[in-house]
Amino acid sequence: MSVTAGTRLGSYEVIALIGEGGMGQVYRARDTKLGRDVALKVLPTLVAADPDRLARFRREAQVLAALNDPHIAQIYGFEDAGGTHALVMELVEGPTLAERIAEGPLPVSDALAIAGQIASALEAAHEHGIVHRDLKPANVKVREDGTVKVLDFGLAKAFSPEGASSTADAANSPTITTPAMTAMTAMTAMGMILGTAAYMSPEQARGRPVDERADVWAFGVVLFEMLSGRRPFDGEDVSDTLANVLKRDPAWDALPGDVPPRVRQVLRACLRKAAKERLADMQDVRLALGGAFETIASAAPESAASPPPAHPLWRRALLPVAVALVAAVLTAAGAWFALRVPPTPAPVVRLEIPWQGFGPSGMFAISPDGQSLAFVLSGGRDGSSAPIRVRTMDALEPRVIEGTVGATFPFWSPDGREIGFFAQGKLEKIAVAGGPAQTLCDAVDGRGGTWSRDGVILFSAGPTSPILRVASGGGTPQAVTPPVAAGSGGGDRFPLFLPDGTHFLYNSLRGGDQSDVAGLHLGSLDGGPDVRLLPDNTNAAYVPERGERGRGYLLFRSGGALLAQRLDLATRRLSGEKIPVADRVLMTGVLGFGAFAAASNGTLVYVTTPDAASTSQLLWVDRRGTRLPALQSGRFFLGAISPDQRTVALNVGRPPRTDIWLYDEARNVMSRFTFGAGFNVSPVWSPDSTRVAFSSERSGSVSSSIVVKPSNGGGATTLFESGVNVAPDDWSADGRWLLFEQQGQNTGVDLWLLPVDGSQKPTPYLQTPFNQRDGRFAPGSSGSPRWVAYSSDESGQNEVYLQSIPAGTKFQVSTAGGTEPMWRRDGKELFFVASGALMAVPISVGAAVPIGAPRELFKIAGNRGYAPAADGQRFLVASLSGDAGAPPARAITVVLNWRPDAPR
């Protein structure tokens, strides 16, 4: 069966050939049942025509499919169709590690980050008895977010005939371009790419049986190449390469001078010629790279290596008496000295860890012992599609907690063994070691939680919720702060237990953020009075004061800075000066939630952002990424460009006050469009460019309204008021309908339709347990709209979909993530953002709605909104950096043993 674009293998439709080698051809294909793209590895004739080898391959593939690790490309299944046999695999986007290395040596930090993930993948495979046998940079993919995926685990063995040597395996590796033949004939053939031979262990090169130590060797070779930019055992041909593998040592002086000694030691231990002298366990390799054994070695007593000298019998008899006397004297002296000399505080240590993209949600929590960080990565603009990851302070890479996709606001159990979080309208918990999540109770749109040693969890169920209490085993929640009256603004959020397990801190938005109630409060479970400590709209952290029971330091965010002030629980008051801790601490995508956390032992973590990160540049970019000079600079997000292409609506400012401004490009004039405190955001234009609809939270509360106002000024009209956040997404071409987002009561973010003329109440368009955002009507020639493009996290990550009106027929448009869909004026092309790039998809909106393959146009650095011109040939972009470079980096600062007098 000939395989070409359009060929169907079962439920898979081939899109294009993406690779070819001795292990067969690899195609990009569409899974028409699940609506996702996969990789189809079509088996070569030598495997497909050999019944014994094909049966053995099936058995090996079943074993490989059992691997489930975030750094291993998954095997989904096996497909037979018309005599063609194909392995269905995860499609991993991004360059290979070989392509990265071809650009030159990697920085040590980057190389170690990648190496840590490769080691984790090998460790997981070895635990299942699977040896890779063909590890090399070409079999490692590095996605744009830094995630590493190792490909083709165990396939060298799976493709080989029963009893074949490991050298023969190498001859059938994906890097071979010749048919199968004897090992040495294959290796010396002209069509052979030398990659595989350069990574073979000595035992593979000799044709001997191999085990996990062959992967340890290959790992060492790959790490050496990442650091030096050259292979340690390269040669002019295969024979020279294998001779170097067997006889020569690497050129250790090729390693850069900044490679740490422990990494050099790991490389030497991985690249020992004799397998029995090599590091035998990938866990040991991973721990050694992280410096674990350095810590153990430094803690060992220096005298342990030599026995104590022998003493005459009489000395040995008196020795215990002498020791006892000396010990007594030293004990007394120590007690006397301790009374007079205060203990020396542990030194304050500051360090930075690589930015992991905690945002824009910025949600992270530090474990009670200060040793681990739980955080949520951003899968899209809202971060809702990401699972929880946990990174220990001594690890190179975080670990994904399976079963937590869509999690928000993680918080730790007091013993550090479990994590609470919110997902799909529920409060849940999960063991850090792994296992299924357990639902504790409903929490429609959770706003933080905290867990006491008494098994009590306090949490906020949503923007207008009071603080609720539930047992850590689950049950019916009970309010511990007063109910929130309708129309009184926001509720209570971000609770934090203090060490006594009775007092707790929380943030209140009752009456709006400017009311005399809103701010940071101290509450109590014992019926004590509730006290407003600060007027600031912030979450909090707390560090107990050494040796002072019931007293400590409250950490909070005010005016963008992280401050500390002494808190006395006995008097329920703050005292002393406000102590600056850090400037420009990030406020996350949720109003009032700052990116900082602290443990009782004084470990403090916070995220700062440079001044430049708050400045956007507005500019035009063509389809090739060519950028014109900036039109405007300032603190804004791009809202929408008017249909007549004359005026741009911008969201200007930062929480808690944001207004809409209109920019006239022809006159280069910015004019303010909305006034007053609170949020005025999410502008959309009427089809005739005469009106703007937007979301308004005038009182500073979390409830909001959809308002329409003439673009040339004049009075505003409220179309719809809601007790939760609402935001218009689009205005239909016939002028009759607004499509808007609204947080559901028992669902995620839903899409609703609102008649502009007020003839009827809004009606739900898409209501699911998931989050639907960025709804855009498809352009139509006349009449009511028939299709809507939107993003949803229903698959576990944000993807762009096309849905009919009324909802029913649906197509997935994006293939590897996507948000912010925007139409070209004629409806023949849809644009969206994925992995920091602007993508384009040809679409013919009709009965069948043919959809083409997404194509990258250009990267968007620090995306703060975009809008296509009517013809789709250029795009108005708001960017943090305004150029092709990365946006200003945020720094994650870790402070060990923080105390108020610590230098900043």
Side-chain angles (χ1 to χ4, degrees):
M1 178 179 179
S2 175
V3 179
T4 59
T7 300
R8 291 290 291 262
L9 298 179
S11 62
Y12 303 97
E13 181 177 350
V14 173
I15 297 175
L17 177 69
I18 57 176
E20 189 170 8
M23 284 192 183
Q25 295 172 318
V26 183
Y27 294 87
R28 187 187 193 109
R30 184 69 173 173
D31 185 339
T32 57
K33 288 184 177 179
L34 298 180
R36 63 180 178 184
D37 280 11
V38 299
L40 287 184
K41 186 180 285 292
V42 178
L43 307 192
T45 303
L46 79 158
V47 175
D50 184 338
D52 292 337
R53 184 180 288 186
L54 184 60
R56 182 165 177 266
F57 178 82
R58 288 177 179 274
R59 294 195 300 271
E60 293 289 341
Q62 289 175 350
V63 175
L64 297 172
L67 288 178
N68 185 16
D69 185 87
H71 303 302
I72 297 177
Q74 298 295 295
I75 292 180
Y76 296 147
F78 194 83
E79 193 70 34
D80 296 326
T84 299
H85 308 277
L87 193 65
V88 185
M89 307 177 69
E90 176 185 0
L91 179 66
V92 183
E93 307 284 2
T96 66
L97 181 56
E99 292 170 317
R100 289 279 301 272
I101 295 175
E103 299 173 359
L106 277 64
V108 173
S109 59
D110 291 356
L112 293 181
I114 292 172
Q117 297 179 69
I118 296 174
S120 175
L122 293 172
E123 183 181 344
H126 293 174
E127 288 174 354
H128 287 77
I130 297 172
V131 182
H132 193 293
R133 298 167 181 260
D134 194 30
L135 178 68
K136 56 194 173 189
N139 276 339
V140 177
K141 284 268 195 172
V142 183
R143 298 197 311 207
E144 188 165 340
D145 64 358
T147 302
V148 169
K149 290 276 190 176
V150 182
L151 313 179
D152 289 346
F153 256 97
L155 292 189
K157 179 181 179 183
F159 273 86
S160 66
E162 197 76 52
S165 72
S166 60
T167 313
D169 293 346
N172 289 307
S173 78
T175 58
I176 308 297
T177 58
T178 59
M181 52 188 79
T182 63
M184 286 309 299
T185 303
M187 289 185 189
T188 55
M190 291 298 294
M192 169 74 180
I193 298 176
L194 303 183
T196 294
Y199 305 93
M200 278 186 176
S201 65
E203 57 268 30
Q204 282 178 292
R206 289 189 170 98
R208 296 174 181 171
V210 300
D211 56 21
E212 291 88 347
R213 292 172 294 184
D215 284 351
V216 173
W217 170 279
F219 174 85
V221 175
V222 171
L223 178 55
F224 185 99
E225 187 173 350
M226 282 195 288
L227 293 168
S228 66
R230 54 184 281 188
R231 295 171 180 165
F233 304 107
D234 221 353
E236 293 184 3
D237 54 28
V238 175
S239 299
D240 288 342
T241 300
L242 293 181
N244 291 337
V245 168
L246 294 170
K247 300 297 183 183
R248 289 190 179 180
D249 287 330
W252 298 111
D253 58 358
L255 294 172
D258 60 344
V259 174
R262 72 172 187 279
V263 178
R264 296 175 183 269
Q265 292 171 357
V266 170
L267 283 171
R268 290 181 181 273
C270 289
L271 297 179
R272 294 192 181 276
K273 306 290 186 186
K276 63 182 180 181
E277 297 178 3
R278 199 178 305 149
L279 277 174
D281 192 299
M282 282 308 303
Q283 183 183 36
D284 290 344
V285 174
R286 178 176 59 80
L287 292 174
L289 278 178
F293 301 129
E294 283 184 344
T295 304
I296 295 173
S298 64
E302 296 181 1
S303 60
S306 57
H311 295 285
L313 183 61
W314 64 270
R315 286 190 180 180
R316 279 180 278 163
L318 292 177
L319 187 59
V321 178
V323 169
L325 288 172
V326 171
V329 172
L330 290 177
T331 300
W336 177 87
F337 188 73
L339 291 173
R340 288 158 176 78
V341 180
T344 302
V348 177
V349 178
R350 294 179 182 270
L351 56 101
E352 290 185 358
I353 58 177
W355 170 252
Q356 298 284 353
F358 306 155
S361 62
M363 299 170 185
F364 62 85
I366 193 167
S367 60
D369 62 4
Q371 297 301 307
S372 299
L373 197 65
F375 58 88
V376 179
L377 290 175
S378 174
R381 287 188 302 172
D382 61 341
S384 60
S385 67
I388 295 172
R389 287 170 168 82
V390 171
R391 173 174 175 158
T392 57
M393 295 299 179
D394 61 352
L396 291 174
E397 290 297 326
R399 179 171 63 89
V400 172
I401 306 298
E402 301 294 342
T404 61
V405 169
T408 60
F409 293 104
F411 58 96
W412 291 84
S413 66
D415 60 6
R417 296 180 180 179
E418 295 178 282
I419 294 175
F421 62 95
F422 302 89
Q424 297 184 14
K426 305 291 183 182
L427 170 63
E428 303 189 357
K429 69 175 182 178
I430 194 168
V432 177
Q438 176 185 343
T439 298
L440 302 181
C441 61
D442 290 337
V444 176
D445 187 14
R447 288 290 190 268
T450 184
W451 194 330
S452 77
R453 290 187 177 88
D454 297 326
V456 175
I457 290 178
L458 299 182
F459 69 99
S460 171
T464 58
S465 167
I467 300 299
L468 301 172
R469 168 181 179 161
V470 71
S472 59
T476 302
Q478 303 293 327
V480 298
T481 59
V484 180
S488 64
D492 303 328
R493 50 181 63 188
F494 318 141
L496 176 72
F497 266 120
L498 295 178
D500 63 4
T502 299
H503 292 90
F504 61 93
L505 302 163
Y506 69 95
N507 170 272
S508 178
L509 274 180
R510 295 171 187 256
D513 66 336
Q514 299 300 307
S515 75
D516 57 2
V517 177
L520 191 63
H521 286 242
L522 175 65
S524 178
L525 296 182
D526 63 4
D530 184 284
V531 178
R532 186 173 81 150
L533 299 174
L534 294 165
D536 299 273
N537 180 22
T538 178
N539 54 318
Y542 180 82
V543 176
E545 190 171 359
R546 185 187 299 270
E548 295 286 342
R549 186 173 182 178
R551 301 180 72 178
Y553 285 89
L554 176 71
L555 291 99
F556 57 95
R557 187 179 182 276
S558 179
L562 181 62
L563 305 176
Q565 192 171 10
R566 187 186 298 249
L567 173 62
D568 189 328
L569 296 184
T571 63
R572 301 173 184 260
R573 290 185 177 182
L574 293 168
S575 62
E577 296 182 354
K578 294 180 180 180
I579 304 166
V581 177
D583 296 324
R584 300 189 307 274
V585 172
L586 175 70
M587 188 172 80
T588 69
V590 178
L591 183 64
F593 192 75
F596 64 93
S600 293
N601 66 353
T603 300
L604 170 65
V605 180
Y606 58 85
V607 178
T608 58
T609 182
D611 287 334
S614 62
T615 301
S616 302
Q617 289 187 320
L618 187 68
L619 68 162
W620 285 102
V621 184
D622 67 18
R623 294 176 71 95
R624 295 175 297 178
T626 304
R627 297 165 179 249
L628 297 178
L631 303 172
Q632 286 285 324
S633 296
R635 291 180 175 177
F636 55 73
F637 285 77
L638 175 56
I641 187 170
S642 61
D644 62 11
Q645 305 287 288
R646 296 179 178 177
T647 312
V648 181
L650 300 171
N651 296 310
V652 178
R654 58 199 305 177
R657 293 180 180 84
T658 303
D659 275 298
I660 296 170
W661 288 60
L662 301 182
Y663 172 63
D664 185 330
E665 181 181 359
R667 298 188 300 133
N668 194 31
V669 172
M670 287 273 290
S671 58
R672 187 168 179 170
F673 183 66
T674 63
F675 301 85
F679 275 138
N680 295 289
V681 292
S682 304
V684 298
W685 289 88
S686 64
D688 60 4
S689 302
T690 63
R691 292 175 291 170
V692 177
F694 57 94
S695 172
S696 179
E697 300 173 11
R698 297 188 181 278
S699 67
S701 69
V702 294
S703 59
S704 58
S705 305
I706 294 179
V707 177
V708 172
K709 182 177 178 180
S711 58
N712 60 359
T717 302
T718 299
L719 295 184
F720 175 63
E721 295 185 44
S722 175
V724 295
N725 282 327
V726 292
D729 281 345
D730 200 13
W731 200 320
S732 64
D734 61 6
R736 297 174 55 199
W737 300 93
L738 278 173
L739 185 65
F740 70 92
E741 301 173 13
Q742 179 171 249
Q743 174 65 55
Q745 294 299 316
N746 297 299
T747 58
V749 177
D750 302 321
L751 293 180
W752 289 65
L753 290 167
L754 174 66
V756 177
D757 62 7
S759 59
Q760 63 188 72
K761 294 181 179 180
T763 57
Y765 168 58
L766 287 177
Q767 280 186 310
T768 74
F770 309 104
N771 296 299
Q772 287 79 217
R773 301 179 186 272
D774 308 324
R776 301 287 185 268
F777 291 117
S781 56
S782 62
S784 299
R786 296 179 56 195
W787 298 92
V788 168
Y790 64 96
S791 66
S792 171
D793 59 5
E794 63 187 73
S795 68
Q797 70 172 353
N798 282 315
E799 298 282 3
V800 174
Y801 297 87
L802 190 62
Q803 178 96 231
S804 62
I805 300 179
T809 305
K810 181 174 71 172
F811 302 92
Q812 183 172 331
V813 177
S814 61
T815 57
T819 58
E820 301 179 70
M822 291 281 189
W823 291 95
R824 197 169 77 187
R825 174 72 64 83
D826 59 9
K828 293 183 178 180
E829 198 169 25
L830 185 66
F831 309 102
F832 63 91
V833 175
S835 300
L838 185 65
M839 312 293 289
V841 178
I843 293 182
S844 178
V845 177
V849 191
I851 300 175
R855 180 170 66 92
E856 180 178 317
L857 297 183
F858 56 84
K859 298 291 185 184
I860 302 181
N863 176 33
R864 286 194 165 184
Y866 78 98
D871 60 2
Q873 298 307 302
R874 62 176 189 158
F875 304 84
L876 192 62
V877 172
S879 171
L880 280 176
S881 60
D883 57 25
R890 293 168 177 162
I892 303 173
T893 302
V894 179
V895 183
L896 305 179
N897 308 311
W898 176 86
R899 58 180 187 269
D901 60 346
R904 296 178 60 188

